[in-house]
Amino acid sequence: MKEFKHFINGEYVASASGKTFENRCPVDNSLIGMVHEAGQAEVDAAVRAAKAALKGPWGKMTQTQRTALLNKVADRINERFEEFLEAECRDTGKPRSIASHIDIPRGAANFKAFSETLANHPTEGFRMDTPDGKGALNVGHRTPKGVIAVISPWNLPLLLMTWKVGPALACGNTVVVKPSEETPATTTLLGEVMNECGVPEGVFNVVHGFGPDSAGEFLTTHPLVDAITFTGETRTGEAIMKAAAVGLRNISLECGGKNPGIVFADCDIEKAVEGTMRSAFVNCGQVCLGTERVYVERPIFEKFLSRMKEEVAKLKLGRPEDPEANFGPLVSLEHREKVKYYYDLAREEGATVEIGGGIPDMGAELNDGAWIEPTIWTGLSDDARVIREEIFGPCCHIRPFDTEDEVIELANDTNYGLAAAIWTENSARAVRVAEQMEAGLVWVNSWFLRDLRTAFGGAKQSGIGREGGVHGLEFYTETKNICIKL
Ligand code: NAD
Ligand code: 6OD
């Protein structure tokens, strides 16, 4: 049986308390292994190791040396691709076809993209006049922030963890990562890669456990943590923000969404169906950017709905290794309970279940897994809870609209503000509507098309701050102004 230990100061360590918890595979609920749960002692050791490493060889490296090391980490993940893929698919149940195109390659790429951004981004310089006529030079100088706590979720475990660890390390910080309790495997494996590549001890640390009264809380409240970057639910983001207030630590929060898709009658309907199928159902609907509210202009409503139903009926549920399968289980039985609760609530709130709505019969071998049917609803009112609350499952509600102004109002009528997708062949309309979306990310005629140089983050209750490209520099570094009197 596998054992997932903490990775502290370059070594795998067990919890002193001996406390462990189960890691189960959502495909069939089989036991993958036992995960050590960190107490205060392990979290303290990890944070102190990270603090000490800032003053060790890591802190003395040049930017070029750090970049070379991080490129090596990316290359090594790709060399060990199969192991990362296997581990990610076992923890999440997602199809290998998806993880091999999204999770693992992006997990590796995150280590390259930010070093390149950093190498190519200038700091500012201002020459100023002074009364003696000799002047002064002001030079912006970036220094690492220090020890960064990285708290990550389970839906894209490696990708979303390295999305933060990549820029944090590129900027010269050290990190303590607390991966989701549901998906400890790839973060643990990354420790081996760090050692193989010669990343100095203490630069990358991992502690396992849960949130409240466990590793997550111990880490975010640790006084030697200089900043906290978090991806997960909005309510958890609020708890982390409170923890960060003590000692005035900076935060970056990437939280939940209830994202709209807007399909205008002048769209290319096949493109819109293909994109909306992905945005609602890929990764079993467990993507923060996913579309749970679809608004379709009335003249094409019936056609769009019927094409979506045809495509949902073709989704092939199956084990990760099944080459035909493009739809896996939810991440856990606990999460299935939450999603199923919303499936039942949709009926109570008066939805017409167009397709799905239940738990599929997967046969004796898989029926203990966290399987759920991909689902489309129509007919809900705009104030239904199913329309207003994030479900994070493979489901969407499709509703007709009549005018551009009406759909802009509907799309923005949410506490969240993460992403929106607009489908139209009219470019003037696309820009006009995109500019009015209250969201951090807007896709036109696409979805989840990512350029790592661009800003990523949410408006309203979907988050605080932007990461990606130069935007991450604001969070991962302190900019110091050095004023030199001439
Ligand atoms: P979650 O908030 O339950 O957990 C995320 C992480 O926070 C886990 O590691 C968890 O152990 C930890 N945690 C929980 N409570 C904590 C506490 N009090 N203190 C410190 N750490 C704590 O989220 P999840 O269920 O893992 O992920 C799903 C959610 O994440 C959805 O809401 C989804 O929209 C969101 N998400 C957002 C983005 C984004 O980029 N905006 C990306 C992916 C997922
Ligand atoms: O692509 C990314 O960089 C990113 N942060 C994606 C987030 C997906 C959310 O589930």
Side-chain angles (χ1 to χ4, degrees), residues 19 37-38 40 210-218:
K19 256 171 110 175
E37 184 182 355
Q40 298 269 17
F210 304 87
D213 201 27
S214 183
E217 185 181 322
F218 302 152

Side-chain angles (χ1 to χ4, degrees), residues 368-381:
D368 287 340
W371 300 91
I372 193 119
E373 287 175 347
T375 294
I376 294 177
W377 303 289
T378 54
L380 283 169
S381 70

Side-chain angles (χ1 to χ4, degrees), residues 258-261 291-295 387 396-397 410-411 413-414:
K258 187 75 185 176
N259 311 302
T291 306
E292 290 190 0
R293 297 179 293 139
V294 185
Y295 301 102
I387 297 297
C396 65
H397 178 258
L410 286 167
D413 182 18
T414 167

Side-chain angles (χ1 to χ4, degrees), residues 151-155 160 178-181 210-212 216-217 220 230-233 236 239-240 254-257 288 390 392 418 456:
I151 311 276
S152 50
W154 44 255
N155 62 324
L160 289 177
K178 210 297 283 169
S180 168
E181 52 273 33
F210 304 87
E217 185 181 322
T220 52
F230 165 77
T231 299
E233 282 186 11
T236 312
I240 286 175
E254 297 182 340
C255 299
C288 59
E390 183 188 44
F392 218 55
L418 188 54
F456 185 99

